[in-house]
Amino acid sequence: MSGIAERLTAAVGAEQIVTDPQVMGGYSHDEAEWADHALPAAVVRPRHTEDVAAVVRVCAEQGVAMVARGAGTGLSGAANSGRGWVVVSFERMNRVLEVDPVQQTATVQPGVVNDALRERVARDGLWYPPDPASAAWSTIGGNVATNAGGLCCVKYGVTRDYVLGMEAVVGSGEVVRLGRTTAKGVTGYDLCGLMVGSEGTLGMVTEVTLRMLPLRTGTEHTVVGYFDSLAEAGRAVAAVSAAGVVPSAMELIDRFCLQAVDSWKNMGLSAEGEVLLLARSDQPGAAGEQEADLVLECFRAQGAVYAVRSTDAEEAEALFEARRLAYPALERLGPLLTEDVCVPKAKVPLMLERIEQVGERFSTHIGNIAHAGDGNLHPLFIVPAGDEAAKKRAQEAFEVIVDEAIALGGTVTGEHGVGLLKMRGAAREMGPQVLAMHRAVKNALDPAGIFNPGKVFSLD
């Protein structure tokens, strides 16, 4: 047992410490392909905030880096361990502490799974909108760390829009309360909002109070459109936005991704065209029907080879399930590197064209899925295992797509976070002055430099 592991055992007890290398290997990285990671010195699985505070104090005293971990479903390497680090896994802190139907809030520990929270609050007539594709496995703590989004983002926003307050352990080992539990509150700086999306670089979140919405009970109207090219599908997305429609979801899947889902689940989705667009309206009554009809009109006007309003709720849900299955379906084909750029909605057609051009330039096949309604595109690079030349081309294409997104006024990440994979692009997007501000905040809140160092931006 290493020295840091011995000190942690003395602080929180052996039952919470893991030092078996075979077990720790599974905690050392998230799902980001080709992001560096190494075996930690120890994994801690705390049950209480006091345990987390004790671990932070030990690591600060010893100068040992530490990283928080949820379910490990991240795609940027933000949860990856460095050699000799301490990984804090929140899998045991998984309770819904309180649901307040009057205030429409829920207070949870960070290890609560996204879908489990949604199921729990539904019993009180409430709904938690953020719904990443990994919602069945990803945790609220991880969602907070990366400011996760999902299919509903186009209308309902991302995780930060629902975090009212939190409890966190800061660099001194002290436990602090940030934000509020009230509907309104403007006291001081928004330190709570600062923690959301900080990717574990500023502290350890141990409790979160989330805003809920009333449970949706009406019928959703789904519009299906197939197109012959990514550019045509992109123009349809822009047309919907220009028409003033804000759908509750608008998702894009290309034929390559649909074929991967079909070969896995035999859903028969890839026969109609090169690109599938799925849009939904959750407006109640006649307003929802009118909104869906307007989306359908936009699809047809932009050259859809097949477009229809779905009248079968089960069929419509199956189509959206296919969108969620696209990533794991492609993972079955080989190592998968995932992009996460976001551009202004009007630039979606141009960005999709540039992605195609980059794929041709680097002889790299790029599949495409997207939260198209808000401009969040996920080009997917699949490389045969062991093909180092193809891997190098995919990595170069990845960086060029980052630069193309920035050139169009976009951002290098819409929801996955910067982690290890987007540090160059993030530095270019922010510029030296803003990067210096980030470093100043990091140094102020983490003076010992122990929280996930070397992620998001370099410290030198």
Side-chain angles (χ1 to χ4, degrees):
M1 185 180 291
S2 69
I4 187 64
E6 291 177 348
R7 287 178 171 84
L8 291 171
T9 299
V12 299
E15 186 270 337
Q16 298 190 62
I17 309 298
V18 177
T19 56
D20 182 337
Q22 289 188 318
V23 178
M24 290 196 299
Y27 288 90
S28 66
H29 61 88
D30 62 18
E31 294 296 314
E33 191 66 40
W34 305 329
D36 292 337
H37 63 274
L39 200 67
V43 174
V44 184
R45 297 184 292 193
R47 293 188 182 278
H48 307 286
T49 298
E50 294 75 14
D51 301 327
V52 179
V55 171
V56 171
R57 287 194 293 269
V58 170
C59 288
E61 290 167 0
Q62 300 300 313
V64 174
M66 59 193 306
V67 58
R69 177 185 172 86
T73 60
L75 293 167
S76 70
N80 287 14
S81 172
R83 186 169 302 281
W85 288 23
V86 171
V87 174
V88 180
S89 170
F90 285 97
E91 64 197 271
R92 293 175 171 176
M93 295 180 64
N94 60 2
R95 292 186 297 134
V96 176
L97 300 173
E98 181 184 16
V99 177
D100 187 337
V102 176
Q103 194 70 8
Q104 295 187 337
T105 62
T107 300
V108 306
Q109 292 181 313
V112 171
V113 171
N114 185 295
D115 271 0
L117 171 63
R118 192 172 285 110
E119 181 180 347
R120 168 61 187 86
V121 299
R123 302 205 302 261
D124 286 288
L126 301 175
W127 176 50
Y128 180 61
D131 61 339
S134 59
W137 309 281
S138 64
T139 63
I140 295 301
N143 292 173
V144 169
T146 60
N147 194 20
L151 277 64
C152 289
C153 286
V154 58
K155 183 171 184 177
Y156 291 102
V158 294
T159 300
R160 180 178 284 118
D161 299 309
Y162 295 88
V163 177
L164 292 175
M166 65 175 60
E167 176 188 81
V169 180
V170 294
S172 62
E174 295 175 297
V175 180
V176 298
R177 291 272 178 181
L178 305 174
R180 65 189 196 278
T181 58
T182 54
K184 295 172 65 178
V186 295
T187 307
Y189 298 136
D190 184 9
L191 298 180
C192 177
L194 181 65
M195 294 289 285
V196 181
S198 63
E199 301 184 48
T201 62
L202 300 179
M204 294 267 164
V205 176
T206 53
E207 186 180 297
V208 188
T209 297
L210 299 162
R211 179 173 67 94
M212 301 287 126
L213 295 182
L215 185 66
R216 297 183 300 177
T217 57
T219 300
E220 289 188 291
H221 304 277
T222 299
V223 181
V224 181
Y226 281 90
F227 297 81
D228 277 339
S229 71
L230 283 170
E232 287 178 335
R235 286 193 285 271
V237 172
V240 170
S241 179
V245 176
V246 182
S248 57
M250 182 178 285
E251 298 294 305
L252 178 149
I253 323 168
D254 72 3
R255 179 190 284 274
F256 184 69
C257 298
L258 288 173
Q259 287 174 333
V261 174
D262 282 349
S263 65
W264 182 24
K265 298 293 185 180
N266 194 30
M267 298 179 73
L269 300 174
S270 57
E272 298 293 341
E274 292 299 316
V275 185
L276 170 64
L277 269 185
L278 298 172
R280 269 183 170 170
S281 170
D282 63 356
Q283 291 268 40
E289 295 193 16
Q290 292 170 2
E291 192 169 77
D293 286 340
L294 185 52
V295 171
L296 181 60
E297 181 182 321
C298 291
F299 282 13
R300 289 173 173 166
Q302 297 304 319
V305 295
Y306 174 79
V308 66
R309 270 184 55 189
S310 175
T311 57
D312 186 327
E314 290 187 6
E315 176 188 66
E317 187 54 42
L319 289 168
F320 277 92
E321 183 61 21
R323 163 61 181 87
R324 295 184 179 93
L325 291 172
Y327 183 85
L330 290 170
E331 278 188 310
R332 299 170 71 246
L333 305 179
L336 182 63
L337 180 64
T338 307
E339 259 288 8
D340 173 40
V341 295
C342 191
V343 297
K345 288 181 284 187
K347 301 292 181 64
V348 168
L350 183 55
M351 188 66 212
L352 288 170
E353 287 180 350
R354 293 190 179 181
I355 289 169
E356 283 192 299
Q357 293 166 2
V358 170
E360 293 171 1
R361 173 182 166 189
F362 289 93
S363 300
T364 298
H365 193 100
I366 303 176
N368 286 276
I369 58 177
H371 305 308
D374 54 18
N376 192 186
L377 311 180
H378 295 318
L380 304 165
F381 305 79
I382 300 168
V383 176
D387 190 334
E388 289 301 313
K391 174 181 174 180
K392 184 174 185 297
R393 292 197 305 271
Q395 290 173 318
E396 290 174 347
F398 180 95
E399 295 294 346
V400 171
I401 287 175
V402 165
D403 291 339
E404 293 286 4
I406 294 172
L408 292 178
T411 179
V412 302
T413 175
E415 58 186 7
H416 294 169
V418 174
L420 289 166
L421 295 182
K422 296 293 188 77
M423 291 173 64
R424 183 202 64 85
R428 182 178 175 192
E429 178 183 332
M430 288 188 283
Q433 293 84 5
V434 175
L435 196 58
M437 293 171 67
H438 278 73
R439 289 174 176 150
V441 171
K442 167 72 169 171
N443 292 334
L445 298 185
D446 179 22
I450 60 171
F451 291 133
N452 220 6
K455 307 280 183 66
V456 185
F457 52 88
S458 62
L459 297 179
D460 54 18

